[in-house]
Amino acid sequence: MRLHNDSATEAFRTEFSDWLDENLPDPAEATERPHSSADTPAWARAFQAKMFDDGWLVPAYPPEFGGRNAGLFEQLVYFEELGRRDVTRSFNPQGLGIVGASIVSFGNDQQKRDYAIPILRAEMMAALGMSEPNAGSDLAGLTTRAAIDGDEFVVSGQKVWTSGAHDADMILAFVRTDPDAPKHKGISALIIDTDTPGVTRRPFADITGPDHTDFNEVFFDDVRVPRKNLVGELNDGWRICNGALAHERAMLWIMWSQGLDKMLREFLSELRGTAKADDPVVLDKVGKLVADAQSLRLLGNRQLAKQQRGLVPAEQSILKMMGSEAQREVALLAVEALGPAALDQRRVPGHSSVFASDKHVVTWFNRYLFGFAGTISGGTSEIQRNIIAERVLGLPR
Amino acid sequence: MRLHNDSATEAFRTEFSDWLDENLPDPAEATERPHSSADTPAWARAFQAKMFDDGWLVPAYPPEFGGRNAGLFEQLVYFEELGRRDVTRSFNPQGLGIVGASIVSFGNDQQKRDYAIPILRAEMMAALGMSEPNAGSDLAGLTTRAAIDGDEFVVSGQKVWTSGAHDADMILAFVRTDPDAPKHKGISALIIDTDTPGVTRRPFADITGPDHTDFNEVFFDDVRVPRKNLVGELNDGWRICNGALAHERAMLWIMWSQGLDKMLREFLSELRGTAKADDPVVLDKVGKLVADAQSLRLLGNRQLAKQQRGLVPAEQSILKMMGSEAQREVALLAVEALGPAALDQRRVPGHSSVFASDKHVVTWFNRYLFGFAGTISGGTSEIQRNIIAERVLGLPR
Amino acid sequence: MDFELTDDQLELQRTVRDVLAQECPPDLVRAVTEGGAADELWDTLVSLDWPGLTIATEHGGTGYSWVELAIVLEEFGRAVAPGPFLATVTQFASAVRAVATPHQASHWLPLVASGAVTGAFAVDEGAGTWLLDGVSAAATCDGEDLVLAGTKRYVLDGATADEIAVVVRLDAQLRVVVVPRSALGVDAFAPIDATSVHADLDLDGCRVPVDRLLGEGDATEAISAAIDEALVAISVSTVGTCQRILELDVEYAKERRQFDVPIGSFQAVKHKLADMYRDVERARALSYFAALCLAEGDSRAAVAASMAKAAAGECQQRCTQDGLQIFGGIGYTWEHDLHLYLRRAKVGELTFGGASQHRQRVARLTLAGGLA
Amino acid sequence: MDFELTDDQLELQRTVRDVLAQECPPDLVRAVTEGGAADELWDTLVSLDWPGLTIATEHGGTGYSWVELAIVLEEFGRAVAPGPFLATVTQFASAVRAVATPHQASHWLPLVASGAVTGAFAVDEGAGTWLLDGVSAAATCDGEDLVLAGTKRYVLDGATADEIAVVVRLDAQLRVVVVPRSALGVDAFAPIDATSVHADLDLDGCRVPVDRLLGEGDATEAISAAIDEALVAISVSTVGTCQRILELDVEYAKERRQFDVPIGSFQAVKHKLADMYRDVERARALSYFAALCLAEGDSRAAVAASMAKAAAGECQQRCTQDGLQIFGGIGYTWEHDLHLYLRRAKVGELTFGGASQHRQRVARLTLAGGLA
């Protein structure tokens, strides 16, 4: 155990930090905002491509995919530097983090060239077709069918919660290719271009407001998809679904940790100097959340240290649950500490970075609402607790 | 809706209050303490018998069982007057409230004469044989056998958590008389005199201390019980088990409500004038508990008002859960507010009534521990929540 | 005590519920949330004489007690009814009734009862509480006029009410003056709940005739009593809103299937719903107790009002949070009605002091005066 | 940072656990709880040189860092080990090391390292916190002697330690003086946990030679640093105790059957255990971080110590409450070992400030100085 990194890791930090200082977008030119999670303004596309070209987009990747084969602690300082500056690598996070990553890991050379690299270089926007109306927490229950017909799949069914689909060029869709196989066998991953006939995208607004439209329902009506768009093996989609995040899986906690730090920082800067900053009831809750943020960072670091030693860490199971619940709590505390001032949705906390993507999520009330995305999607907090109990503590299913 | 009782009810209160003023035990003579929940000192036996004889022991009962056919609100003011003075009707509460009540409701005339009345008059101490090592929350799973052999039952098996059994003259035991019937059929209720050969009682200490001995394991080793000791019909024990509390069922919440009020009163009188009485974090919690106590009283009153109107109230389902959890919370808050002073078990809060039965439960730390009895026995808080969800809200089992 | 509604009260409850089911369906609330108006609903309420429910018959009201008002308010909360009812009846009219001289009351209360005037009540100046020691808005006499100065904040319907009862200091006394909204500078919020819009009011330079100054002498106690009414009104309305969230969740938990069973068969869901049910029942009991204390002029009204507001606050916290969590993604959409209830419940918590502040008030009052 | 134990540290952890499994089984703890002694355990620890674990080699210690001490303390907490280790090593020795002159350190620390002397640390005078502004106990010089006055409260091992480091005021400075226990009036508690007995100390009229006054000049900062060590020690020990409660509960939940299935298959039980696990991991992480700050002299040690104590407090609250609730009746008996752990965990919470006080300290330090 030690507090500080070795000098090689710190040198890596300095190199990246210097690169950022030189290459960050000029705020004067970076004025256009994205309007969905698959919409990337030109200035951001250029920045992402530059990161790719200089090997700073996904440091863990080899150079041909925009990286430099970085180690775990190098990745950590990389994210620390991004977080410190509020830099967003990509406004199409599912494209970069899941769709692109899946194709890099499981796709063939042609798919990598035609899809993965364009997605990573922000030339192509991607969406992820996973959830269905009756397969939310129970993903293995998905029913979108893909029947084989000669050299094509014929896809029918519906996806939902497909972020940014209306702005996306392609969807990586998980579909059932063997209806007779047990639940999580018989699933395959298909690349479906969104302009293929039979694909209908219906964006809908989320709870934060009628004009905040990122989610889509996506309907597939006998959509014919060429067989070459199959990613990985037929009926091997479950493995892709679980393996998509392999490259940066060890870093997933960073998102929760940095999000929490940012919210806390903004809340504390609002609190400072007000009467509430001397209210023991508020301080009691602030102290809890500061400790939450610190423990999240520590447990994330411990996970990395274990992986570095070749061990299989269990920390991951609690990090998402802790992070998402703490984020919701900070926002709620801010709403409560503001009192009736929180009724006024014109009040926008925090400073705005050039990468700030969405004013809808930054009033404290909307951040509270947005917090539920964390406790619901990607496995609800209830399911996280089941997983901890069963997989970590060994309780019977 | 109105805040005040009608004048007839208040006249009833006055009558009882006057009786109490006249008949309460003289503190100088009431010095002997009970040492288990089936141990009643002579002075308390005399007082209980006097209550019985004057029709004040169980006002809802007819005069022959120590009552006066009192109505619901008369019973309520009766309990209010008892609570206001910290009067305990009986130091053998399971004898009075469950065993005696079961025999009054389901027993035959001889059983009423030989058991119910002596129990009610505190001439006989009773214990309740319900829980078993493998049938705690799941009472229907009990396995103590009673085989019929001529005019006798032959009882074999084990009970546990049998309060005061070592001081009891008899046990009302629930036993399995038909092993082939579905779980909660095939159970019967038997009166078993504790001096019957084959009955072994092993008292054991509870969590509050090695010298606090009330619970027993009771072993039945081919115990021969005369057939006339069967209460109610053969294999009809489940109904008795559920119906035992019928007479004062509407009043069960009073125990939780008054216990909570008493603890709060004692805690607040300790708090007054200390620095903690100005600590917002402590006040925040105190306010919660004061509201808990008031809502318990209100919901109890609403239950009575509904019953008075011939409706079936649902309030009962939450009263025990709320009362037991709030009691545990008050004790924990007291422990926390005292800080390290709570480490000193010589510190005994509150004033002592002549009826104060047990110093083990009155330090705040032991009261906290004792609070778990409420959230565990008689249906854990978890089971209470299942019941609310299933029976009140109609969710699937 | 008899803590259950009488047959007449139950009948009133059914009537109100039926009227609102007809006149104030979720679609109306959604329309208002997305920018529409609800004028017809208010016209209906006026035609039913509900604005004057607790106003004495001599002032043109129906003369019912605060318990009947609580019944109406719970149903309004359950339907998330928009419009001027809450501010006019439970804030403006309460302030007028508590503070005004008989002569003034006989002017203003009939206007409320007939629906001719809508009102608001301006107390807070930024602390976000009900506490009167923060009042620094001032009135000074200038001949036959009063001249006002200062700012009021977070005034419900402050941007829309006809008349606003404003708490001010005059010669070191706390007083209430009724000011036409049109005479004030108004800054309305972009609200989290478009059915209950708050506004900040700029009093500076506002000039009104001196007969708009209510009552005689210091009105601190009367204002406190009026605020207690406002607290109870928010509480019981929140109970209705939470009751509806609970109903929606129970219904969904029975229908929605995951892992081949209804989600309501999972213990985690059951226990959340059981706790929501308990919190709703607890808040309802404390709210009606407070209403009963107001109805009977009981001295426990202040502590009861804060217990109700605290319990309603705890209840909304659980019902909004777990209520949304149980719905999962579906509840996270704008299209689903759940957020209409969630927003209203949260607005109640954020006005006139939150749960923690009221718990502390309960504790202080109890420590000072024994248990309620 | 590298936030995982090294191979050597893991080896130490295994060694300590093995020794305690052998020398400090639950039966020993139970014997002490029921009135017995644990002298042999202390003799064993001394023979292993553990009292001097973090004492410099030049003072006869082993010279390990605070991380190694944390490892030992976690195992001690896991075994609910009785005896003078905690007070002597993490309170007395910490105070001496932080405050003493090199000359004094070279007198006292070898005595601790060799096991020749056991110690305690007397700070609090009744507030129940770690705060030094409550200190009014006084020392005055009288020739070659110091004369003490005042009272110290809640001193761990105050009734049994050989020497007690007492915080006093001398000429308006905060100082530490080492007093033989035999020179003091001692009032030991009837404890909730007989393995950690606290006492009140009466200083009045106590007279000691002036060379027992540690260091030179005001020692406020050094005393604070020593208290931070005490906080971290209690925290990491509590983590060990809670870890053991969690293990006992998990084991029981797998075995105990109700309604024909193991109770561990009920979601209510699963979720309680998952939350206990999270709280233990969280408190462990924050405790080791604080230990690491102490080991490396990092400026975040104070806020880290309070985060650790707060997290340990939250952890014990959940683990004792839900841990007992899951066991149901069985855990409610004296015969079951669960309460041994429960009592120790609760003692930790009640000393040197509870979770809420430390959360507030964390908030104040963070508001003043930014995030850790």
Side-chain angles (χ1 to χ4, degrees), chain C residues 16-17 27 38 42 46 51 58 60 84 99 101 144 185 204 237 250 260 272 282 291 304 311 317 325 330 351 366:
Chain C
V16 180
R17 188 171 299 185
D27 280 354
W42 176 243
V46 169
E58 80 222 51
V99 181
T101 63
E144 288 302 291
D204 283 343
S237 165
V250 167
D260 299 326
K272 280 193 174 72
R282 178 176 179 273
Q317 168 50 19
Q325 183 69 20
I330 292 293
T351 43
T366 307

Side-chain angles (χ1 to χ4, degrees), chain B residues 177-215:
Chain B
T177 37
D178 182 353
D180 301 322
K183 271 179 118 186
H184 49 270
K185 318 242 173 190
I187 293 172
S188 301
L190 292 185
I191 292 167
I192 304 181
D193 295 324
T194 52
D195 58 4
T196 316
V199 175
T200 307
R201 295 164 285 173
R202 194 185 76 82
F204 59 91
D206 71 29
I207 193 172
T208 61
D211 52 351
H212 188 235
T213 310
D214 189 30
F215 293 129

Side-chain angles (χ1 to χ4, degrees), chain D residues 128-148:
Chain D
T129 68
W130 68 95
L131 298 168
L132 293 172
D133 47 11
V135 172
S136 69
T140 44
C141 287
D142 181 21
E144 289 301 293
D145 285 352
L146 284 173
V147 182
L148 308 184

